[in-house]
Amino acid sequence: MLLWGKLMSTNKTGHIRLTSHPGHRAPGRFPIVWGAPTARERGPVIGTVTSSADRNAIGAHGGSYSVYRALAVSSGALNPIARPDLTNTSPAIDIGPYPQWADAERIVSLDPWGHRIAQDFHEEIAEGVDIRPTIAVTKARLTIPEFTSKAWGVKADGEIVHESGDIAVTKAAIDPVWYLPGIARRFAITEDRLRRTLFEQTGGAYPELVTRPDLSIFLPPIGGITLYIFGDPAALGDRKHSITCRVHDECNGSDVFGSDICTCRPYLVHGIAECVKEAQRGGAGLIVYNRKEGRALGEVTKFLVYNARKRQEGGDQAATYFERTECVAGVQDARFQQLMPDVLHWLGITRIDRFVSMSNMKYDAIAGSGIEIGERVSIPEGLVPPDAQVEIEAKKAAGYFTPDHVPSTDELKSVVGRKLEEF
């Protein structure tokens, strides 16, 4: 109770000030010039909830975790005016700057300077301005159980793959930071329409979207991105080195728990193996892991689709794989990969020599953003789980990249997965 009383005392009035209040339209201390060549010219992204005069962004830091922060504050576990101590939190390796960072059209969904906050704005932070990193870069080791089998061809070299089998990796966590005018142009819609739709489809959670046209930055409450870099990260932006890359969208059931209804973990592990081998050849490997569970439809929707597929007349057929998703969700895929290449530009990538993916949506988005793609690498047939044959054959028929035979309509009808009672 003592802690709670202390926290409550930080709110001097106890009243709530609406974001639509006319007084909020005064010019802020920290204007944003998106696409400026330096961090200081661009300005810091400030989503603080404790100093309205400094705020220049809609939303709050932390993406989908901002609500947990609110719970921690409301329960008295977290002081609402607490500031992060950024001592010794600087990136484990330097990334950038690259020319793409100064292109207001090339990067619109993340802050390219987001990992350099403590470095570029140390004076403002020391003065008490609540500026927070949106990117963190560290080093780690990965243990992939599958690689104990020699069939994967991952061999120890003492540097990238240690004798223990652990794999050295540089990893970066990235929270989304949306530059709304650039997001709108990327989707070929007006900014007004984008703002209005975001406001309406989040139940009016962010009124500043429609009341503050002067604020161009939005910190959306969605999951971010994790990068896993194998080899020298600097090689990613150097065309003298070869790059292998897999862009992988989250699938908790398969990636973590090994569910065999899809190819997600096998394809992810295959991508890691190819990235490791590329790094051992002197190039660099990159896994981009996006939090877009269930094609950005969510895990509840995904499981509903599983039930619908398994219970439909004729069983879980490859012929109706995409149809069942659309019947439940209203759309086959909500990932819309237009924003995905931004993180590749953040890394300075201009060419991917080996792209480990069958997805034409991902390929088209990357190539359309100006990054060259050489070889496309599909998942080996032997890695596809039995119940995932429905998915893989449906994708081949739908035009996904494959060097194999494209199944006919009649062949798709013969590819049927397990029934619910067989699990």
Side-chain angles (χ1 to χ4, degrees):
M1 292 301 293
L2 289 176
L3 175 60
W4 175 252
K6 180 180 179 181
L7 295 184
M8 290 302 291
S9 69
T10 62
N11 186 344
K12 297 180 180 179
T13 65
H15 76 279
I16 296 174
R17 187 175 184 181
L18 297 177
T19 57
S20 59
H21 193 281
H24 280 244
R25 292 180 182 264
R29 289 202 297 159
F30 302 99
I32 294 290
V33 182
W34 198 263
T38 68
R40 298 202 64 82
E41 290 176 272
R42 202 285 310 278
V45 172
I46 306 176
T48 179
V49 296
T50 60
S51 176
S52 59
D54 291 341
R55 275 176 63 84
N56 61 12
I58 302 165
H61 286 297
S64 59
Y65 293 95
S66 59
V67 175
Y68 287 106
R69 184 181 186 279
L71 285 176
V73 170
S74 65
S75 67
L78 175 63
N79 188 330
I81 62 172
R83 304 282 177 84
D85 180 354
L86 299 178
T87 303
N88 293 329
T89 64
S90 59
I93 57 99
D94 290 329
I95 294 181
Y98 292 104
Q100 294 94 318
W101 295 14
D103 188 335
E105 301 300 320
R106 193 77 70 182
I107 299 177
V108 300
S109 62
L110 59 90
D111 177 6
W113 306 95
H115 58 308
R116 295 165 48 104
I117 296 303
Q119 170 186 342
D120 293 328
F121 299 104
H122 62 279
E123 294 178 4
E124 288 81 359
I125 293 173
E127 292 171 2
V129 182
D130 189 9
I131 308 173
R132 307 192 180 197
T134 57
I135 300 176
V137 184
T138 188
K139 290 186 177 183
R141 290 192 185 183
L142 303 182
T143 300
I144 309 296
E146 287 90 337
F147 291 169
T148 57
S149 169
K150 294 182 180 179
W152 289 89
V154 176
K155 301 176 181 178
D157 56 45
E159 181 179 355
I160 295 169
V161 182
H162 297 273
E163 293 300 328
S164 62
D166 293 345
I167 302 167
V169 67
T170 299
K171 59 182 183 179
I174 302 173
D175 279 342
V177 177
W178 286 7
Y179 175 57
L180 292 173
I183 297 283
R185 287 192 290 270
R186 191 72 64 85
F187 283 88
I189 58 176
T190 65
E191 185 182 345
D192 284 346
R193 179 178 179 182
L194 173 65
R195 286 173 174 268
R196 182 182 180 88
T197 306
L198 287 171
F199 171 70
E200 292 175 344
Q201 295 303 313
T202 56
Y206 299 95
E208 290 169 310
L209 286 166
V210 292
T211 64
R212 295 293 306 275
D214 56 308
L215 297 180
S216 62
I217 305 300
F218 179 41
L219 306 177
I222 60 175
I225 303 169
T226 309
L227 303 179
Y228 295 85
I229 304 170
F230 305 84
D232 183 3
L236 294 171
D238 186 346
R239 293 190 61 133
K240 293 183 292 186
H241 297 276
S242 184
I243 297 173
T244 291
C245 173
R246 171 160 177 78
V247 175
H248 189 91
D249 293 333
E250 178 184 27
C251 176
N252 183 68
S254 179
D255 295 343
V256 179
F257 293 98
S259 171
D260 72 345
I261 197 172
C262 63
T263 60
C264 294
R265 180 173 177 87
Y267 220 148
L268 175 60
V269 174
H270 173 55
I272 293 173
E274 294 302 308
C275 286
V276 169
K277 294 173 189 175
E278 187 69 76
Q280 290 177 324
R281 292 192 292 265
L286 171 67
I287 299 291
V288 178
Y289 195 89
N290 295 294
R291 295 317 192 284
K292 297 179 181 178
E293 179 65 62
R295 299 185 196 149
L297 298 169
E299 202 165 38
V300 170
T301 295
K302 182 165 72 171
F303 287 8
L304 293 174
V305 171
Y306 286 168
N307 286 342
R309 283 171 49 188
K310 298 296 181 181
R311 288 174 172 148
Q312 68 182 331
E313 184 178 350
D316 183 13
Q317 298 181 27
T320 58
Y321 174 80
F322 289 106
E323 177 185 334
R324 296 311 303 151
T325 299
E326 188 166 2
C327 286
V328 175
V331 64
Q332 292 182 6
D333 196 323
R335 286 173 293 182
F336 305 113
Q337 302 289 353
Q338 288 95 324
L339 303 179
M340 176 267 294
D342 288 22
V343 72
L344 303 177
H345 292 295
W346 177 66
L347 292 166
I349 293 173
T350 58
R351 176 179 171 81
I352 296 172
D353 298 273
R354 303 184 74 243
F355 184 51
V356 187
S357 174
M358 294 175 64
S359 171
N360 286 337
M361 287 178 64
K362 294 175 182 176
Y363 176 91
D364 292 343
I366 294 171
S369 76
I371 296 175
E372 298 178 33
I373 296 180
E375 178 186 1
R376 298 182 69 178
V377 182
S378 60
I379 186 171
E381 184 64 32
L383 296 183
V384 180
D387 204 39
Q389 291 292 338
V390 172
E391 172 204 25
I392 204 72
E393 295 302 309
K395 287 182 174 179
K396 289 178 183 177
Y400 280 57
F401 170 77
T402 177
D404 304 323
H405 168 69
V406 177
S408 65
T409 301
D410 289 339
E411 288 173 326
L412 286 180
K413 293 179 181 178
S414 66
V415 181
V416 181
R418 284 195 302 263
K419 300 178 180 178
L420 278 177
E421 54 269 25
E422 294 176 335
F423 280 82

